[in-house]
Amino acid sequence: MGNWKKTYITPLGNKTTSKPLTDIESFRYRQAADMSIGGQLRKANLRLQELKAKQAERASEVHKEWVEETEKNKAPLAAILGAATYTPRQQSDKENSALRVAIRETEELIKNLEEQKDRENGVDVGFWRGFGRTMGDVRTWDFGMGDMADAMTMMNADKLKGDNATEGERES
């Protein structure tokens, strides 16, 4: 027989004799597997921040490309024509469109999770909150154009993973 040692089994099934290592691995596992409303809200808010940062970065890249092309264009009406092409360029950028859809969906997820959290805490989530949420949403007033743009982006999402797609398009 030998000396008895305490053996700890982590949530991932690893055996160890170190309690601190077991505690650390258990804590990380619980954080990763946290499916509570609060945990989901934290993850969704972090994801939203990442997406907005990526979108801002991509918008600045498209702006730089536009500035370079505008400076190279020496046509008499170049400034007027260049100004007319900036907004469509931002809107038609595939990576930017995919990020915009992901941001909208993440914002909707956050709103739903906040409502669920309030329901669990006994806060009224009735008519007036839904009314305010619906009336305050731009997509209520744009006659379905935002939803249509989102749907078209999602329909063409498999092209963002094709051979001709950029790394940014694949990631978005």
Side-chain angles (χ1 to χ4, degrees), residues 5-24:
K5 289 186 179 180
K6 284 189 178 180
T7 303
Y8 301 96
I9 299 176
T10 66
L12 298 176
N14 300 328
K15 292 181 182 180
T16 181
T17 57
S18 171
K19 176 127 174 68
L21 288 176
T22 304
D23 290 342
I24 289 170

Side-chain angles (χ1 to χ4, degrees), residues 28-102:
R28 287 184 181 156
Y29 179 81
R30 284 192 308 274
Q31 275 188 323
D34 186 8
M35 294 306 291
S36 68
I37 299 297
Q40 290 179 48
L41 264 171
R42 280 189 299 280
K43 289 176 187 174
N45 282 318
L46 288 173
R47 175 92 172 122
L48 182 61
Q49 288 174 357
E50 290 173 11
L51 289 170
K52 286 186 175 183
K54 286 179 185 177
Q55 184 185 35
E57 182 181 333
R58 181 61 190 161
S60 68
E61 289 173 10
V62 172
H63 181 263
K64 286 177 188 174
E65 293 170 5
W66 173 78
V67 167
E68 289 172 4
E69 287 181 18
T70 304
E71 288 174 354
K72 290 177 185 176
N73 192 350
K74 301 297 182 196
L77 297 175
I80 295 170
L81 295 174
T85 62
Y86 175 68
T87 301
R89 181 181 295 240
Q90 286 284 1
Q91 291 176 344
S92 65
D93 183 55
K94 293 177 186 175
E95 184 177 340
N96 208 356
S97 297
L99 290 168
R100 193 170 41 247
V101 171

Side-chain angles (χ1 to χ4, degrees), residues 80-155:
I80 295 170
L81 295 174
T85 62
Y86 175 68
T87 301
R89 181 181 295 240
Q90 286 284 1
Q91 291 176 344
S92 65
D93 183 55
K94 293 177 186 175
E95 184 177 340
N96 208 356
S97 297
L99 290 168
R100 193 170 41 247
V101 171
I103 287 171
R104 281 188 185 163
E105 293 299 319
T106 305
E107 288 173 341
E108 285 294 316
L109 174 65
I110 289 171
K111 288 177 185 176
N112 291 337
L113 288 170
E114 286 173 347
E115 285 182 5
Q116 183 63 30
K117 183 179 176 182
D118 286 346
R119 275 190 204 97
E120 289 177 359
N121 292 332
V123 177
D124 184 28
V125 189
F127 172 78
W128 290 111
R129 181 181 283 191
F131 181 79
R133 182 175 169 182
T134 302
M135 292 300 124
D137 188 1
V138 166
R139 292 183 290 174
T140 301
W141 304 103
D142 72 352
F143 301 105
M145 296 307 291
D147 291 331
M148 182 68 76
D150 289 356
M152 294 303 291
T153 299
M154 296 307 291
M155 284 178 51

